Amino acid sequence: MTAQQQTRPHAATKPARWAADAVAMMREGARVRLDYSAQSLWRVDRVIEEIRREGAPYDAVREMLRGLGCYAGEVIARQTGAEWWSSGGDHWVRTPDGRLWDPVEEARRCYGGHGSLRLLCRDAMG
């Protein structure tokens, strides 16, 4: 366990695990490497768009979208010093300026053709 993992709030436990699972899934299944950089979210947006165009049913991709949303949240947390917050099973990222961001919902919006994890990250970092 790294020092970063030891000092992170409890609310980060599940999202960090889901993000790591998404990174492994993308590496093994899609042969896409994700490095927790803001630039990597371009690839994530493209992958979600490809899956949407293939017409995969939402129920078949729900967990993947959650993982990719958490990946985007981890990118924001690592780039800005943001923290994960949770309530009632939902998870958000709170940036140091106090704003709350919902990267999991944004991943769902991407799948619906109306969102962008890359743009969410850019806005959160701006």
Side-chain angles (χ1 to χ4, degrees), residues 2-25:
T2 67
Q4 180 184 13
Q5 289 171 327
Q6 291 174 351
T7 61
R8 294 192 69 187
H10 178 70
T13 304
K14 286 183 180 179
R17 185 178 67 230
W18 293 329
D21 290 348
V23 169
M25 175 200 59

Side-chain angles (χ1 to χ4, degrees), residues 34-43 71 75 79 121 125:
L34 300 177
D35 61 3
Y36 293 95
S37 68
Q39 295 83 4
S40 69
L41 293 173
W42 283 89
R43 289 184 294 254
Y71 172 77
V75 170
Q79 299 291 322
C121 183
M125 292 172 59

Side-chain angles (χ1 to χ4, degrees), residues 15-86:
R17 185 178 67 230
W18 293 329
D21 290 348
V23 169
M25 175 200 59
M26 294 291 285
R27 182 183 60 243
E28 295 166 11
R31 304 255 191 260
V32 173
R33 295 227 179 255
L34 300 177
D35 61 3
Y36 293 95
S37 68
Q39 295 83 4
S40 69
L41 293 173
W42 283 89
R43 289 184 294 254
V44 174
D45 278 349
R46 283 196 310 264
V47 166
I48 293 172
E49 174 62 21
E50 288 173 20
I51 293 168
R52 184 178 71 80
R53 274 192 262 133
E54 290 173 2
Y58 176 76
D59 286 342
V61 298
R62 177 182 307 156
E63 300 300 316
M64 181 208 60
L65 293 172
R66 180 185 68 187
L68 293 175
C70 287
Y71 172 77
E74 279 292 294
V75 170
I76 294 167
R78 293 176 184 204
Q79 299 291 322
T80 68
E83 293 184 341
W84 282 99
W85 286 58
S86 66

